[in-house]
Amino acid sequence: MNVHDPGPPGDSGLTVRDLAVSYGPVTALRGISLEVPRGSVVTVLGGNGAGKSTLLRAISGTLRFHRGGITAGEIGFGRARLSGAATSAVVAHGVVQVPEGRKIFARMTVEENLRAGALGARDRRSASESRERVLTLFPVLAERARQRAGLLSGGEQQMLAIGRALMARPKLLLLDEPTLGLAPMMAARIADTVREINAQGTTVLLVEQNAALALSLASHAYVLEVGEVVLSGPAAELAESDEVRRRYLGIGDDRDEAPLAGAAPARPALSRWSA
Amino acid sequence: MITFIELLVNGISIGAVYALIALGFVVIFKATEVVNFAHASLLLVGGFIIAKTHESVGFWPALLLGLAGAAVLGALIEFLVIRRANVVNHSVLAIVTIGVDIVLTTELTRQIGTEVLALGDPWGSQVLHLGAVNIPLARIAALLAASAVIAAFLLAFKYTNWGVAMRATAEDAETAALMGVRRGRVSMGAWAVAGALAALAALFMCIFPTPGLDRTVTATAMKAFPAAILGGLDSTTGALAGGLIIGVTESLVSGYQGELVFLGRGLGDVAPFLVMIIVLLIRPAGLFGTRELARV
Ligand SMILES: Nc1ncnc2c1ncn2[C@@H]1O[C@H](COP(=O)(O)OP(=O)(O)O)[C@@H](O)[C@H]1O
Ligand SMILES: [Mg+2]
């Protein structure tokens, strides 16, 4: 498999080098390396328990909430070192995560959730500008501004979670399984939004189990299995590779059991690999 | 009827003061999940500072010093004790606050000794006459000041960045951190605010008809515990409702003690706890709370 060619020097993307993470005695990541060049969409694929969320927690500095920690390796973003930094510092560097399961503040209103998203923004004056951008992207959030966020549908909650993260004006957006539990139509909408956000200049690291959808969005992909990168390469090449097609796209050996689906951008939401 | 109105106003007034204490208690619980048993000693410190400084600097500056002193002490407890105590179990932290309380209360009661310290408030023992109804000016001041401060607090909680950060952290600390919220700052702020609220409560607990600040004030402050718990330990609305319920109950029961003598003496002091127990039997999470206290 192709080894990803790191971007030109000085390219201020995300660099993860030999990262190892443990939760007490449980080792979740065993020395993984990856690059997310500036302006790109990169995806990390893998089944349940592969270590995808752990990777994002390590980047955001929230492992301590799970009694985990980085045991080796480095995470850098541009010239900044993220490994060892406080979560607030990571956000201040422009690296913002949309956590798995949306994690909206259910007891607060939609508007207040967006406001919470701007709390760590580097520039508070731009909050109204960010809000406008978010509401243009997700008009439904404007309609429901005064509702309790807990009353939104799953898809709307995901939009709110993404919108809330955008309030901090991220340079790099980390998305943890944004289509989890969503109907195919809604998943396709989220995918379109991710494309749009990227087109507006935000770099995206997308963690997914929905391989077909993720490969249709990303330029580069990594496949994670039990805490190790087992495959990586340009997304289009991975989508064509026999192993990925068989194991993650449900095409090939077990063609009969899994729904047929292509990784072509035209039909991104048709297949969903699940563990 | 006139007695009833007087008792009711007095009850609401003392209830608003309990609400100040309960609110601080709730804010600390929401921000840090710690049940703060050192709350009464924060109150004692605030009152003590006012009592010791009002003669030299005047009442209003002394009040400011008391508020600031208790706020700083609250922040220090958070910074030096709660944050350092590297334990994940919040019950253990609650026990740590009992230790802090014992240290502070022992030292201050030693300093106060058997004295009753005046706080130098401008209202003294003046009484406002409204027709046949007589209400001490101090109680009216307490009611107005507590209401204003509570209103300001609730508005801040609802509309300021501080309030949004507090509520986000209370709801989901990890996700709030992902928004760039610094948990340390949020919890330190909560302890400081709680300290200032307690100091204000101290003032209104130690002026007319109470003769002044003495060593028993912490026992009186303990009545705000049932206020916070019966309202729901994680609910600011609950703190208000709880404070008022306890205040009014206590006032009415004490006032009609004569008619209730068959129930025994000192019922006014016991009533708050009885009300709390009854409410908790019916609603274990308190009137407005979402979390039961089982783990504390
Ligand atoms: N809080 C935790 N404590 C202990 N082990 C954990 C914790 N969270 C995740 N793990 C373990 O780490 C591994 C990777 O989990 P995770 O990163 O959540 O995977 P994914 O997001 O790919 O499903 C799994 O083996 C999981 O059991
Ligand atoms: Mg996960």
Side-chain angles (χ1 to χ4, degrees), chain A residues 21-29 45-57 63 65-68 100 176-177 207 209 224 226-227:
Chain A
V21 171
S22 301
Y23 298 98
V26 181
T27 301
L29 292 180
L45 304 172
N48 265 334
K52 306 183 296 299
S53 297
T54 301
L55 169 64
L56 295 193
R57 283 175 194 150
L63 284 167
F65 285 94
H66 303 268
R67 286 177 230 179
E100 183 178 323
D176 196 344
E177 302 204 37
V207 155
Q209 291 197 35
L224 212 53
V226 257

Side-chain angles (χ1 to χ4, degrees), chain B residues 6-227:
Chain B
E6 287 175 359
L7 290 175
L8 190 64
V9 173
N10 269 314
I12 294 173
S13 170
I14 193 71
V17 175
Y18 289 151
L20 286 176
I21 306 172
L23 210 50
F25 206 70
V26 166
V27 164
I28 286 177
F29 184 75
K30 280 179 87 92
T32 57
E33 300 213 347
V34 175
V35 177
N36 176 25
F37 289 107
H39 213 74
S41 56
L42 283 177
L43 184 140
L44 187 59
V45 168
F48 186 74
I49 293 174
I50 302 172
K52 283 293 175 192
T53 56
H54 76 90
E55 274 171 11
S56 43
V57 300
F59 171 72
W60 296 106
L63 176 58
L64 281 185
L65 283 177
L67 295 178
V72 167
L73 179 67
L76 277 178
I77 294 175
E78 193 279 334
F79 189 72
L80 298 177
V81 183
I82 303 298
R83 204 180 295 190
R84 314 279 139 176
N86 195 13
V87 290
V88 264
N89 189 332
H90 296 290
S91 309
V92 176
L93 281 177
I95 292 167
V96 169
T97 65
I98 295 178
V100 171
D101 186 64
I102 291 173
V103 170
L104 289 173
T105 309
T106 308
E107 175 57 20
L108 280 172
T109 47
R110 196 180 60 77
Q111 297 228 4
I112 294 169
T114 53
E115 281 182 80
V116 178
L117 305 171
L119 296 197
D121 68 288
W123 306 289
S125 55
Q126 288 163 271
V127 172
L128 186 74
H129 305 280
L130 290 170
V133 177
N134 298 313
I135 299 163
L137 220 48
R139 296 333 314 160
I140 295 178
L143 180 55
L144 294 180
S147 309
V149 167
I150 289 168
F153 171 85
L154 291 180
L155 287 174
F157 201 62
K158 178 85 183 143
Y159 294 109
T160 65
N161 279 338
W162 175 78
V164 173
M166 268 280 307
R167 285 184 289 143
T169 303
E171 191 167 338
D172 182 343
E174 182 180 0
T175 307
L178 286 177
M179 311 287 108
V181 172
R182 294 180 203 190
R183 181 158 204 197
R185 277 197 195 175
V186 168
S187 58
M188 208 162 148
W191 279 78
V193 165
L197 292 174
L200 188 63
L203 167 68
F204 290 120
M205 288 173 68
C206 298
I207 60 177
F208 191 80
T210 313
L213 177 74
D214 64 18
R215 56 203 308 173
T216 64
V217 67
T218 51
T220 318
M222 291 297 274
K223 287 181 202 153
F225 276 82

Side-chain angles (χ1 to χ4, degrees), chain A residues 178-225:
Chain A
T179 64
L180 185 71
L182 298 185
M185 284 270 289
M186 188 50 82
R189 266 222 58 194
I190 297 293
D192 287 340
T193 313
V194 173
R195 252 181 227 110
E196 170 78 26
I197 291 167
N198 179 244
Q200 289 177 8
T202 306
T203 308
V204 176
L205 175 56
L206 169 67
V207 155
E208 262 297 348
Q209 291 197 35
N210 185 341
L213 179 138
L215 289 172
S216 79
L217 284 171
S219 57
H220 207 88
Y222 295 82
V223 178
L224 212 53
E225 262 174 32

